Amino acid sequence: MNRAVGLTKQLLTFAKGGQPVREDFSLDTLVEDTVRFDLSGSNVMPVFHPADGLWPARADRGQLQQVFSNLTVNARQAMPDGGRLYVTLENTTVSNEKPPHLEKGKYIKVTVRDEGIGVEPKDLDRIFDPYFSTKQTGSGLGLATTYSIITKHGGHIGVDST
């Protein structure tokens, strides 16, 4: 039942655009709680590196929880034999257009790195496409929803894989 509810929420966020309802909160707490919950019972160990003095996030708490849940589930699936999931949070200021499409200002940069099998180079350009999945049981909505949420918040998401 919970899986159906989660899939329905992802479909609605993706289809309707789900404009963020913003509030100030501690992003490191939300990320840690979400990642720990989604890794409970698995053989993947989370490793957190939040910066001292991390700025508060002004974002939609529920939507960002969905983002980090999607990223955690993907990482867990990429490490069937276990491993570590590293999450780093740091303050950063953008003063030019790097990464592309970001307005100047203050941001919280979150890096999520796993010890999984990686993504095939031929698939890297497609992982945020709706309904694209490398898994037979995947819906292809997790990373598409994640991309949609991050861009609606004025952020940027990218991927590197080796």
Side-chain angles (χ1 to χ4, degrees), residues 120-149:
E120 292 288 329
K122 68 180 177 58
D123 294 331
L124 279 176
D125 290 339
R126 299 173 48 203
I127 66 166
F128 297 118
D129 290 351
Y131 310 110
F132 174 77
S133 179
T134 59
K135 300 175 220 69
Q136 289 191 3
T137 59
S139 67
L141 290 173
L143 290 179
T145 301
T146 295
Y147 180 88
S148 176
I149 291 169

Side-chain angles (χ1 to χ4, degrees), residues 1-8 37:
M1 182 67 163
N2 286 340
R3 188 171 178 196
V5 170
L7 184 58
T8 300
F37 179 81

Side-chain angles (χ1 to χ4, degrees), residues 90-111 147 150-151 154-160:
E90 58 190 310
N91 296 326
T92 188
T93 302
V94 172
S95 58
N96 55 21
E97 292 188 17
K98 302 256 180 183
H101 314 296
L102 284 185
E103 293 184 19
K104 293 179 182 178
K106 293 181 174 183
Y107 291 83
I108 300 173
K109 179 180 179 181
V110 181
T111 304
Y147 180 88
I150 294 298
T151 56
H156 170 78
I157 185 167
V159 61
D160 291 317

Side-chain angles (χ1 to χ4, degrees), residues 10-76:
Q10 287 186 52
L11 280 167
L12 288 172
T13 298
F14 184 73
K16 292 166 59 175
Q19 288 301 321
V21 177
R22 297 172 191 265
E23 62 180 300
D24 292 335
F25 62 92
S26 171
L27 186 60
D28 54 334
T29 301
L30 178 135
V31 169
E32 187 167 339
D33 290 348
T34 302
V35 170
R36 286 192 189 284
F37 179 81
D38 286 330
L39 291 179
S40 63
S42 78
N43 54 359
V44 176
M45 175 187 291
V47 180
F48 299 100
H49 297 286
D52 290 333
L54 194 67
W55 297 323
R58 179 148 187 79
D60 187 307
R61 182 187 306 260
Q63 287 187 5
L64 289 193
Q65 186 176 25
Q66 183 69 54
V67 163
F68 293 105
S69 182
N70 289 346
L71 294 174
T72 302
V73 168
N74 277 359
R76 186 185 70 218

